Amino acid sequence: MEIKEYTQDRIPDVLEYERDLRREEDFWGWAIDDAYVAEVKASFRDQRFQNAVSYLAYLDGRVVGRIDASLITSRFCGQVRAYLDWLCVLKSCRHLGVAQALMAHLRTKLKETYHAQELVGLIAANPEAQRFYRSLENAQIRDEGIWIEL
């Protein structure tokens, strides 16, 4: 397995991954259409995405998992935190250590490259995600999450 930064030139790899994801599990709720592709491409040129941190897991030359986070800066405490936005592995590649490798890579990069002190995230409700997040070392579940539409 190889983990690479998600850069603009890897968009075609990610689009194929997204299609594979939907072939294996069809409940994601958004289509991989021209509008989606345009938004993803635009995000690489948009300064609002400068704090986005994303990595891809490759097996045999294809993307089988991805992890996406965003740096959070606040003058509340003067520290850098990160928000874990997305972690997903193709169903056919789960239980091969892909999610663990992506998480370990992200944690290392956040600490060493961005000097972040903490990674926070919402835990998906499905049992597989619950087991994964509860198994992470040096992590604790606390507080509650809230989704507020704007």
Side-chain angles (χ1 to χ4, degrees):
M1 178 178 10
E2 187 175 8
I3 297 181
K4 299 178 181 181
E5 184 177 357
Y6 181 7
T7 54
Q8 187 169 4
D9 60 311
R10 294 194 175 103
I11 291 173
D13 295 350
V14 171
L15 294 176
E16 189 58 35
Y17 159 80
E18 293 287 348
R19 289 181 191 100
D20 289 344
L21 194 61
R22 282 153 183 78
R23 278 191 284 273
E24 292 187 15
E25 297 178 292
D26 190 21
F27 56 76
W28 296 102
W30 74 90
I32 305 306
D33 56 14
D34 290 342
Y36 171 82
V37 174
E39 286 180 348
V40 170
K41 287 180 178 179
S43 74
F44 284 93
R45 298 183 305 274
D46 189 330
Q47 284 298 318
R48 294 175 297 170
F49 291 82
Q50 68 186 1
N51 288 332
V53 180
S54 304
Y55 298 100
L56 308 171
Y58 283 80
L59 276 176
D60 299 323
R62 72 179 187 128
V63 175
V64 297
R66 68 182 280 187
I67 192 165
D68 295 86
S70 183
L71 299 176
I72 302 170
T73 56
S74 171
R75 292 188 179 92
F76 162 69
C77 60
Q79 294 182 340
V80 177
R81 290 186 173 89
Y83 168 68
L84 176 63
D85 184 46
W86 181 256
L87 171 59
C88 189
V89 175
L90 293 176
K91 187 173 180 91
S92 61
C93 296
R94 292 181 189 156
H95 310 291
L96 300 176
V98 177
Q100 292 86 345
L102 283 165
M103 180 62 76
H105 188 84
L106 177 66
R107 289 172 85 165
T108 298
K109 288 294 189 179
L110 288 173
K111 187 174 183 177
E112 293 178 0
T113 305
Y114 303 102
H115 309 289
Q117 291 85 11
E118 192 172 41
L119 174 63
V120 296
L122 298 173
I123 297 175
N126 70 72
E128 199 167 20
Q130 292 279 323
R131 279 191 304 277
F132 173 76
Y133 287 115
R134 292 181 191 287
S135 74
L136 291 175
E137 290 184 27
N138 299 318
Q140 59 181 287
I141 297 170
R142 61 177 195 239
D143 301 329
E144 287 187 58
I146 184 171
W147 294 75
I148 302 170
E149 290 189 32
L150 302 178

